[in-house]
Amino acid sequence: MPFTPWLAGILLAATDTVDDPKGFFGVLAHWAEGFIGVFQKGGETFTGLVTGIIPTLVVLLTAVNALIRLIGPEKIDKLGEAAGRPGLQWYPVRYLVLPVLSVFFLTNPMAYTMGRFLPERYKPAFYDSAVSYVHPITGIFPHANPGELFVYLGIAAGITTLGLNTSELAVRYLLVGMVVILIRGIVTELITARMLSRRAGAAEEVAA
């Protein structure tokens, strides 16, 4: 087939590229690309979750619910009642054992309902301990607080970039969290007791 000018025009048009729009329309075009890019990244993240953490969460939730059935909810309730007893020896039970088991078995936010067994003066401190543990536990048991798993994953991403072991990070995160919630519970209980005594003193002055 002879090479003709019209064939040359077609080949030239096929190799031409369209210049990027300039000015106002160029800004709109770049903004649209960025806007769609956000959703594309979101889709990639969602795909990663579906093939990664979500099946793990489903299995963990099923296992924990089965474990609760085996142990018996009434036994967990009895632990809550025992944690409300006065005395220094009950501090670890009230602000370490009870929050950890509550977050593990009941997950966030149902874990806070275990505070119903405690006297009013202990409830703020228990809540402080429990709410402070919903992040440290996610490294090993993500079912406890899947809605905020990004907190641990953000830290783990930096560790992975450095080439370090994320399993060691998860264990340390868990153990440090236990120490922190015990301290927070005791301190918050002391603060609550001081505030309640001030309120009682103020009420007596008003009554007098």
Side-chain angles (χ1 to χ4, degrees):
M1 181 177 179
F3 188 79
T4 59
W6 66 269
L7 181 58
I10 293 176
L11 294 176
L12 182 61
T15 57
D16 282 347
T17 57
V18 179
D19 295 334
D20 292 334
K22 306 295 184 182
F24 176 74
F25 292 103
V27 173
L28 286 179
H30 288 299
W31 181 85
E33 290 177 359
F35 182 76
I36 295 299
V38 171
F39 291 95
Q40 290 174 340
K41 288 295 182 182
E44 294 174 3
T45 303
F46 178 75
T47 301
L49 292 175
V50 170
T51 58
I53 194 65
I54 290 180
T56 303
L57 290 176
V58 172
V59 173
L60 275 172
L61 285 172
T62 304
V64 169
N65 288 331
L67 187 59
I68 292 175
R69 294 289 183 180
L70 291 174
I71 294 176
E74 67 282 355
K75 294 182 179 179
I76 300 176
D77 293 345
K78 288 181 179 179
L79 176 63
E81 296 173 359
R85 298 173 183 175
L88 296 177
Q89 69 272 22
W90 294 103
Y91 276 163
V93 178
R94 189 158 56 243
Y95 303 127
L96 180 61
V97 178
L98 186 61
V100 169
L101 293 181
S102 299
V103 173
F104 178 81
F105 284 109
L106 302 180
T107 72
N108 182 36
M110 287 297 296
Y112 313 130
T113 61
M114 288 298 292
R116 69 185 184 276
F117 298 107
L118 302 175
E120 291 297 322
R121 63 183 182 276
Y122 297 150
K123 287 181 179 180
F126 169 77
Y127 174 80
D128 194 3
S129 297
V131 77
S132 299
Y133 200 63
V134 295
H135 291 303
I137 198 173
T138 54
I140 298 180
F141 304 109
H143 75 283
N145 192 24
E148 299 184 28
L149 186 59
F150 64 89
V151 176
Y152 171 75
L153 293 178
I155 300 173
I159 298 297
T160 303
T161 302
L162 295 174
L164 302 177
N165 192 339
T166 55
S167 298
E168 295 180 3
L169 169 68
V171 172
R172 293 174 183 175
Y173 201 30
L174 186 80
L175 297 178
V176 171
M178 290 182 177
V179 175
V180 170
I181 65 172
L182 178 60
I183 295 174
R184 289 179 67 101
I186 295 173
V187 172
T188 303
E189 180 181 316
L190 296 176
I191 294 174
T192 303
R194 189 174 183 85
M195 294 178 66
L196 290 176
S197 63
R198 286 183 177 179
R199 179 182 297 179
E204 291 177 358
E205 291 179 1
V206 172

